[in-house]
Amino acid sequence: MHAPRHTNCFGQLWIDLVIDFIRGLRVMELYWRSVMKMLLTMLSVVAVTAGTAMADEHEGKSKMVGGAEMMPSKTIVENASQSKDHTTLVAAVKAAGLVETLSGDGPFTVFAPTNAAFEALPDGTVDTLLKPESKKKLAGILTYHVLSGKFDAAVLMKGMKAGSGETTVKTVAGDILTVKMKGKKVTVTDAKGNVANVTIADVMQSNGVVHVIDKVLMPSR
């Protein structure tokens, strides 16, 4: 006995629907594979770009300071002389007789106050410090901004992590500076409690590294 014709048609319809559904799944699979491949490619590009940026920073890619490009192939003094924000600092380095020292092999780490930082000092302070009779005192203040060795951001961060958010560093002048994390900013506190913000970090030099700060640091004596 033969099955009714409409039953066979109904069965064929279900078969066709199942086949179409399977084909649809296959198309979706191909689509998502294409999407995943595109995402993986994008992630690879991002990873390579980030890696290149990190490598550039580690190797000392130049930065802009005071409207000038700071070249990693030049010394601290040579680069500072090009920054319009550090003309007072350069004048002070010359008056203190520290040009030759800071042009040496080093490496040195310099916390470099801007012109605005010097202008914030009491009236007449800078003029007095630049006088020949103040050379020793000026040298003491300037060397309080200098560390022997290369203390880039990574080194300072490592010290702050080990010290629960802060670390101390000994300056060439002999006094201590305290480097802390304040939110997302890095601050430097001097022996008298004055706090400077690091406004530009890791300005690489041929003989060390410079961190630009917004306040002049004062030693205990």
Side-chain angles (χ1 to χ4, degrees), residues 22-35:
I22 293 172
R23 284 174 178 170
L25 288 177
R26 177 60 178 165
V27 170
M28 288 297 292
E29 180 187 2
L30 292 173
Y31 169 76
W32 284 112
R33 279 188 180 181
S34 176
V35 169

Side-chain angles (χ1 to χ4, degrees), residues 163-210:
S164 300
E166 66 177 65
T167 187
T168 57
V169 288
K170 188 175 182 180
T171 68
V172 172
D175 267 354
I176 297 297
L177 291 172
T178 303
V179 184
K180 300 180 181 179
M181 281 295 297
K182 189 176 181 181
K184 292 184 178 180
K185 293 183 178 180
V186 176
T187 63
V188 185
T189 305
D190 66 19
K192 295 185 177 181
N194 300 309
V195 180
N197 296 300
V198 175
T199 56
I200 306 176
D202 284 356
V203 185
M204 298 300 175
Q205 320 285 316
S206 65
N207 60 342
V209 61
V210 167

Side-chain angles (χ1 to χ4, degrees), residues 6-59:
H6 67 274
T7 302
N8 289 339
C9 291
F10 185 73
Q12 185 62 46
L13 177 63
W14 271 105
I15 291 171
D16 290 341
L17 286 172
V18 170
I19 291 172
D20 288 341
F21 178 71
I22 293 172
R23 284 174 178 170
L25 288 177
R26 177 60 178 165
V27 170
M28 288 297 292
E29 180 187 2
L30 292 173
Y31 169 76
W32 284 112
R33 279 188 180 181
S34 176
V35 169
M36 290 301 296
K37 186 176 181 180
M38 182 173 65
L39 287 173
L40 287 172
T41 301
M42 291 172 64
L43 287 172
S44 296
V45 171
V46 170
V48 169
T49 303
T52 301
M54 290 176 68
D56 286 342
E57 184 166 346
H58 180 72
E59 291 170 8

